[in-house]
Amino acid sequence: QQVQRVADTQARLRQQFSTVDANKNGAIDPPEYGGLVLVRQAGKNAPQMSVFDANKDGKLAFGEYVKLVQTLAPQEAKDTAK
């Protein structure tokens, strides 16, 4: 069951990532980052995108996006994203 739950979570995250990636370049760019629900909900407390940009290329790849979700999402989502 846990394997299936992780697979389901990964699929949902992949779908969300694809939806947020408006220009379909395979990454989340700064304007797209600002539109993320988790970032908007955090408001002034939202971390800069560079906090999650591990390779410092100015955009977030899927793995970097997952780290963002694990950091900003409610604990329940963090547990299922592991």
Side-chain angles (χ1 to χ4, degrees):
Q1 283 181 329
Q2 184 172 0
V3 171
Q4 185 61 47
R5 191 172 67 217
V6 169
D8 291 346
T9 299
Q10 286 289 321
R12 280 194 313 272
L13 288 171
R14 187 69 70 179
Q15 178 61 38
Q16 291 169 359
F17 181 84
S18 177
T19 300
V20 172
D21 180 17
N23 63 6
K24 304 300 179 207
N25 69 345
I28 295 175
D29 301 317
E32 295 164 338
Y33 178 80
L36 287 170
V37 171
L38 289 172
V39 172
R40 290 194 329 252
Q41 286 176 339
K44 289 186 262 181
N45 296 324
Q48 296 287 326
M49 188 176 93
S50 61
V51 169
F52 304 106
D53 185 12
N55 63 2
K56 306 299 180 208
D57 65 353
K59 54 191 173 191
L60 300 182
F62 180 70
E64 295 166 327
Y65 171 73
V66 170
K67 293 291 185 191
L68 174 146
V69 171
Q70 289 174 331
T71 301
L72 297 182
Q75 187 62 44
E76 173 185 313
K78 290 180 192 178
D79 291 342
T80 58
K82 289 182 181 176

